[in-house]
Amino acid sequence: MSVQGASSARNASRAVWLKQLHQWHWISSAMCLLCMFLFSVTGITLNHASQIEAKPVITRQQAQLPAPLTTQLRSYAEQHDGAKEPLPAPVEQWLKDTFKVQPGGRNAEWASDEVYLPMPKAGGDAWVRIGLEDGAAEFENTDRGWISWLNDVHKGRNTGPAWNWFIDIFAVLCLVFCITGLLILKFHAANRPFTWPMVGLGVLIPIVIALLFIH
């Protein structure tokens, strides 16, 4: 093969790889666009959480558990004192109807005199307490606002398994976006002399700040 033919073959191979990289790069960036924007914004709000005033709204309700359900809970608690087990299905349904909450099979904390059901959530907190002697039920819901909700979504705090899976997938897409971008830079570096100095600066700046200012 002549020198010109070998050069043409290399250029053709380079064009194929570059086309593939550009395709993966734009696809990953398109899929990451909204979430990357939101994660960047919530990164700022998290970094300044102490400066952003939050006014929690607390709602409290009380109700009386029907006697048959109270008896059922009392009997169940005698067998599960100190355990963490979900509430019986009829009690969960009563909570849905009475307090409009979704226990969702969460584990309750059982004691001989009461049942406590914690229901932490993104941007707030909630719990239900049921006294086993008299069946008195208390519900408290705390809402810390939408900024707190976004911050918890950013961290994956109390967001459930579906969102945690999504964060993992989003992280993989971000890796694809970064790696393909770096490889595209490599292909263009010969005609852009500032490519590697800028990449090196992008790596050096966070390392220097971390070493000098994080204690």
Side-chain angles (χ1 to χ4, degrees), residues 53 69 75 88-89 166-167:
E53 184 179 359
L69 293 181
S75 175
F166 173 77
I167 290 178

Side-chain angles (χ1 to χ4, degrees), residues 1-192:
M1 181 183 291
S2 65
V3 174
Q4 185 177 1
S7 177
S8 297
R10 284 195 301 271
N11 289 337
S13 177
R14 180 179 184 275
V16 170
W17 275 104
L18 194 56
K19 181 179 179 180
Q20 289 294 323
L21 288 172
H22 275 289
Q23 187 170 7
W24 281 101
H25 190 66
W26 80 257
I27 290 174
S28 59
S29 66
M31 296 184 70
C32 290
L33 177 61
L34 177 60
C35 286
M36 192 173 293
F37 174 80
L38 291 176
F39 271 69
S40 299
V41 171
T42 50
I44 296 173
T45 58
L46 278 168
N47 198 40
H48 297 275
S50 61
Q51 300 168 339
I52 301 175
E53 184 179 359
K55 296 181 178 179
V57 177
I58 300 176
T59 303
R60 295 185 178 91
Q61 298 180 47
Q62 294 182 339
Q64 186 68 35
L65 189 69
L69 293 181
T70 302
T71 302
Q72 181 181 3
L73 281 186
R74 190 181 299 121
S75 175
Y76 194 88
E78 290 176 356
Q79 304 172 23
H80 297 83
D81 187 12
K84 292 185 177 181
E85 299 285 344
L87 294 169
V91 178
E92 285 198 349
Q93 186 60 51
W94 181 84
L95 291 176
K96 293 178 184 179
D97 297 338
T98 305
F99 296 134
K100 310 303 179 186
V101 301
Q102 299 292 332
R106 291 183 176 91
N107 285 335
E109 299 173 7
W110 294 84
S112 59
D113 59 342
E114 70 173 23
V115 181
Y116 177 78
L117 177 66
M119 295 181 292
K121 59 181 181 176
D125 193 16
W127 54 265
V128 172
R129 176 195 169 277
I130 302 175
L132 298 182
E133 294 184 1
D134 54 5
E138 305 173 68
F139 168 64
E140 181 175 292
N141 179 69
T142 301
D143 185 349
R144 298 187 179 92
W146 66 271
I147 292 181
S148 179
W149 183 84
L150 286 173
N151 288 345
D152 284 349
V153 166
H154 178 110
K155 295 181 290 186
R157 178 179 179 270
N158 300 323
T159 51
W163 183 256
N164 289 335
W165 271 104
F166 173 77
I167 290 178
D168 288 340
I169 295 170
F170 169 69
V172 171
L173 288 172
C174 286
L175 286 174
V176 172
F177 176 69
C178 293
I179 293 171
T180 54
L182 184 63
L183 293 175
I184 290 171
L185 286 176
K186 179 180 181 297
F187 274 98
H188 292 298
N191 299 320
R192 299 173 183 175

